[in-house]
Amino acid sequence: MRTETRILHTLPHDPLTGAVSVPIYQTSTFEQEAPGINKGFDYSRTNNPTRAAFEQLLAELEGGTQGIAFSSGLAAVDAVLKLLSSGDEIIAVDDIYGGTYRALHTIYNRLGITVKHVDTSDPANVLEAITEKTRLVWLETPTNPTLKISDIKAIASITKAAGALLLVDNTFCSPVAQHPLSLGADIVLHSITKYIAGHSDVIGGGIVVKDPELGQRIKYIQNATGAVLGPQDSWLAIRGVQTLSIRYERISTSAQRVAEFLEQHPDVGGVNYPGLRAHPGHLVARSQLSRSQQETIASHGKGAFGGVLSFWLKDDREENAVDLVGHVQLITLAESLGGPKSLLCVPSKMTHASVPRSARIAAGINDSLVRVSIGLEHPDDLIADLEQALAQVKESITEQAIA
Ligand SMILES: *Cc1c(COP(=O)(O)O)cnc(C)c1O
């Protein structure tokens, strides 16, 4: 069965009433028949039936033995980092999500955990950096905002040989498109906030693991520290994920068209999108796609590489990017991604403002880079919006040159 079908048929209907939608168990505690004797639930921090249903669905979609749902993506990040002890080392992808970077460098480094950032798009860099102190390798593929691709299988064989765990933050691909556990990863992490809940109305996080013992350790940390997803938000996540496959399909098709439009535009300096043949990680990204996305490519030739892309201008000055996002009318200027409405941002002034310019440029984040999260609008409307905004930027550049 494909992921698309499993999303809809994993959770049973309510055995008590036949309700086809999972009930919201808005309760903190559960009656016990005798001390320590209960129906599998005793307190909602430890376990809650609505959250458990979402966790079961998440585990099923990623092909793991256990799913654990958190109050945010960063709460999930935090729980994984608490597996480590002082003196341990982490190897992390160099353009890691900003919030994960902040947790690693302002909190966990104080607790004695060292982080080495490497360009994981070449597995040889991981092999070179790994030591006997490395406990965890942290990947995002594609990355944010430059959409770099890493080879999960190749890196999994390196971490396995070194006795380290491999984590893949799979937020950008979603469980419809990429299954890191099947490629050798030990832990998959999601910001549920993005494609899974999918409607810009929930903050949530999730972890899925293959090894039940590792799952128990993370579950223990969650219960001991408390960052759980509430019953209402668990229900919203279940509701949202049911349309993930059609959202992903539409968003990917539109993103491919927008990327191809930008690629041939005379004022655009370059486009980062793994669906473009010119992208250096195109073939690896393609080989890592799930069975149903491979089939989409086989039948349509393209259209399976997700909704996030970034591009920069030929006249690569930050003020031109600021000018551009000021002229865009349909696409909302906001951080975040994965919702029904398209969003865009200027990483140098928003998500990556705290990164020094030299480090930013080294990571491929040009001054005029604009990141777009494609939503569910008609792609022609998105292209028209970008086209008129690019024309206005060109006009003001020409005016400045004359003046
Ligand atoms: C948003 C995001 C996170 C953090 O998730 P929150 O739900 O905002 O806490 C982690 N990783 C990636 C790749 C993200 O995009």
Side-chain angles (χ1 to χ4, degrees), residues 281-318:
H282 174 70
L283 290 176
V284 174
R286 183 173 170 162
S287 73
Q288 293 182 156
L289 286 173
S290 63
R291 174 179 165 198
S292 55
Q293 299 308 314
Q294 300 276 3
E295 288 167 352
T296 299
I297 297 180
S299 59
H300 304 298
K302 54 194 172 191
F305 292 89
V308 184
L309 59 93
S310 63
F311 65 99
W312 66 96
L313 300 172
K314 257 195 194 125
D315 185 338
D316 182 34
R317 284 176 295 161
E318 195 176 76

Side-chain angles (χ1 to χ4, degrees), residues 51-102:
R51 191 171 88 234
F54 174 58
E55 291 174 334
Q56 184 194 340
L57 184 53
L58 193 62
E60 176 68 22
L61 297 185
E62 284 289 1
T65 61
Q66 188 170 2
I68 308 169
F70 291 83
S71 53
S72 70
L74 278 178
V77 167
D78 187 62
V80 172
L81 295 178
K82 286 187 174 118
L83 289 168
L84 275 59
S85 305
S86 178
D88 289 345
E89 276 177 12
I90 299 174
I91 294 173
V93 57
D94 53 7
D95 49 351
I96 194 165
Y97 175 72
T100 309
Y101 184 92
R102 182 173 55 206

Side-chain angles (χ1 to χ4, degrees), residues 58 74 77 136 182 186 193 201 229 250 280 353 374:
L58 193 62
L74 278 178
V77 167
L136 182 61
S182 75
D186 302 289
T193 315
D201 55 10
L229 193 65
R250 168 66 177 234
I374 298 296

